[in-house]
Amino acid sequence: MSESRILRDRQEEAEAAFRRLAASGDDGSTAMLVQTKAVATYPTSASAFFACSPLRVDGPEVEGSSASFSADASRTVFAFNLGAKTPPVGTKLLVHSCGGRWTFRYDG
């Protein structure tokens, strides 16, 4: 097989993968579990971006068992609150990707 043919095949595979990624938004959005944290000045109004650390969920996958959470303090993501109340520092939230930004709704 020629090198140009290999390159064309790889290009077609990359384009197909890109189309699959673009179409995945039709079924829903990417979500992530996070915990709010204060990086500098914690927001006092609800309609603001909040600094968050991604959370990892662990524990036995057995009905009725409890989960443990561990934060990745080395990473910070900013998520915009679409709700009416300001979440307290340390609040666990489910954030969704929307138009390239993370968003959540906190109403207390």
Side-chain angles (χ1 to χ4, degrees):
M1 188 179 287
S2 71
E3 185 176 351
S4 61
R5 179 65 186 166
I6 292 170
L7 292 174
R8 276 196 307 273
D9 288 346
R10 286 183 183 166
Q11 179 68 31
E12 288 173 8
E13 288 172 12
E15 288 173 356
F18 180 77
R19 284 192 299 275
R20 284 192 303 273
L21 285 174
S24 66
D26 296 341
D27 298 327
S29 68
T30 303
M32 176 172 41
L33 181 63
V34 299
Q35 186 171 26
T36 60
K37 65 180 180 180
V39 171
T41 305
Y42 196 76
T44 55
S45 65
S47 295
F49 279 95
F50 288 80
C52 304
S53 290
L55 288 177
R56 180 184 191 118
V57 182
D58 201 8
E61 291 186 26
V62 177
E63 186 174 9
S65 66
S66 61
S68 61
F69 303 94
S70 58
D72 183 354
S74 67
R75 291 182 53 208
T76 300
V77 295
F78 292 91
F80 188 78
N81 182 10
L82 301 167
K85 301 234 175 146
T86 302
V89 175
T91 303
K92 292 177 184 70
L93 302 166
L94 190 59
V95 297
H96 296 271
S97 176
C98 181
R101 302 283 185 173
W102 292 106
T103 62
F104 66 95
R105 182 178 184 98
Y106 185 82
D107 290 316

